[in-house]
Amino acid sequence: MDQPVSRARRSCFAAFGIQGFGFASLITRLPTIKDRFDLSDYEVLAVLGTVAVLSGIGSVLAGYAAARWGSAVVLRLALAAASVCIALIAVPHSLGGLLVTTCSYGLCVGAVDATMNMQGVGIQDQYGRSIMVGFHGMWSLGAVVGGVYATISLELDWSLLPTLLAVSAVGLLLNGLLCRDLLAHDPIDGTTAAGGEGRPRVPWWPVLLLAIPTFVMWFLDSATSAWGGIYLTDGLSASESAAALAFTAYQAVLLLTRLVGDAVVRRIGAVATVRASGAVAFLAVALVAAAPSVPVTIAGFALLGAGLAMIPPLSMVAAGHLDPEGGGQALARVNVSNYVGYLVAAVTIAVVAEQVGHRAMFLLPLLLTPVLLLMAGRFAPAPTSIVLGEAEVDPAV
């Protein structure tokens, strides 16, 4: 493998890790933010829902921007902006100010998610074997570090602003040092391979069918990441540090599963991997929904990490091969299901919490989980060329 691609792989690993660290450091402080602004569950819904909408918009815009300027450029800029926004979230003292800063973060996160996956799929196709799960494993490693950092900051009673300022500084520093060698290609000039003007249309039906199980995965992830802490603190009367521990356990098992994930995909294939993952996820959500005790619930969240670990990278690989010519548009659109999942989870779980009670928050996730088993066939990558976000890459390389 040539050196530029090897360096690009290392830079892409760094980008995934930075994103995971920043997100986890922020989301595990959601109970603190909720208490600081005296937010009801519906107001938490408003914040998370608005962020999800802006993230989806950021993902779609990143698809167009990557085609024009290259995914490497868009990724580095969006990653830097997201790091800055994390610290800004701790500044306002009103709900309106909180919405402005969190929505700015969401817009940047959407762009980062789309472009770093464009890079990951393109680099994998240069290697000619499954390595995408490893990129997402680095995201999980960053998230574990972020979760541990959040737990320590809570135990030491650090205030929110200096805690998040440190996260921003780390993100900016690592971006500048480690993300300089992303894979760069010439931007698409708008001319199709046949010489006609305009970009070829991305097929919507295959994108939608892949987006449905991807949406379910992110619904479950949102239930865990955004609401798991509140479920434990308000539903089971656990401490904030126990809630942070549940998120950390979830991310730790995600990481451990992803360490062996590429080998599993090479051995049994993407479809069988997703089916097995769906079965594990169903068992885990059932355990969380039953919630006989705080330790058992934390164990359920950890097991859910094993069930969901493989689905996002395999979804992005399949999406990357749905775009016939042009610039990662299919990948960016499937990535929107990430934020739709977060938005729908925010709405429905908040309603259940307010109208039924916090103990019932994970019943709807339990009902949705079988979709992963039923639609696993959509994760088989199409045998076509994919686009890195800028120029065509041949999977046979």
Side-chain angles (χ1 to χ4, degrees), residues 7-271:
R7 292 196 300 270
R9 184 183 185 184
R10 290 193 292 270
S11 289
C12 195
F13 271 129
F16 272 87
I18 294 167
Q19 175 78 322
F21 172 72
F23 176 79
S25 299
L26 181 61
I27 201 68
T28 48
R29 297 303 298 261
L30 185 59
T32 303
I33 294 171
K34 181 175 185 284
D35 291 341
R36 172 178 172 174
F37 291 92
D38 193 25
L39 303 177
S40 68
D41 287 328
Y42 282 125
E43 287 171 327
V44 173
L45 159 65
V47 173
L48 295 179
T50 308
V51 169
V53 171
L54 268 295
S55 297
I57 293 172
S59 179
V60 173
L61 292 177
Y64 291 106
R68 184 172 181 84
W69 295 293
S71 62
V73 173
V74 179
L75 173 54
R76 293 198 68 196
L77 291 176
L79 191 59
S83 295
V84 172
C85 288
I86 288 173
L88 294 179
I89 288 172
V91 173
H93 294 279
S94 67
L95 179 58
L98 179 66
L99 282 172
V100 170
T101 54
T102 52
C103 287
S104 299
Y105 175 71
L107 192 68
C108 296
V109 163
V112 172
D113 284 347
T115 50
M116 72 182 182
N117 278 293
M118 291 177 197
Q119 283 281 319
V121 174
I123 294 168
Q124 171 172 295
D125 280 4
Q126 291 276 7
Y127 269 79
R129 65 180 187 273
S130 179
I131 61 172
M132 189 67 171
V133 178
F135 288 131
H136 284 250
M138 182 57 69
W139 190 98
S140 297
L141 177 60
V144 169
V145 174
V148 170
Y149 171 71
T151 302
I152 293 173
S153 68
L154 285 165
E155 288 294 331
L156 297 178
D157 199 26
W158 293 350
S159 61
L160 192 62
L161 181 57
T163 300
L164 297 186
L165 273 173
V167 174
S168 296
V170 169
L172 289 170
L173 178 63
L174 294 180
N175 186 354
L177 292 176
L178 303 178
C179 297
R180 296 178 293 180
D181 296 316
L182 293 166
L183 204 58
H185 290 270
D186 294 331
I188 292 173
D189 63 7
T191 303
T192 68
E197 293 300 320
R199 298 166 60 87
R201 293 185 178 181
V202 175
W204 275 103
W205 185 243
V207 168
L208 177 61
L209 290 178
L210 180 60
I212 291 172
T214 307
F215 156 83
V216 171
M217 181 275 157
W218 289 115
F219 186 101
L220 296 172
D221 183 80
S222 174
T224 302
S225 300
W227 293 99
I230 295 173
Y231 178 64
L232 282 162
T233 55
D234 293 358
L236 303 179
S237 300
S239 66
E240 285 192 8
S241 59
L245 178 61
F247 178 83
T248 304
Y250 169 71
Q251 290 296 342
V253 177
L254 270 172
L255 171 61
L256 293 174
T257 304
R258 287 170 175 172
L259 289 177
V260 299
D262 286 311
V264 172
V265 175
R266 293 172 202 149
R267 184 173 183 85
I268 68 174
V271 173

Side-chain angles (χ1 to χ4, degrees), residues 358-372:
H358 290 87
R359 287 281 297 181
M361 290 168 70
F362 277 83
L363 293 180
L364 183 57
L366 182 64
L367 294 176
L368 289 176
T369 306
V371 172
L372 298 175

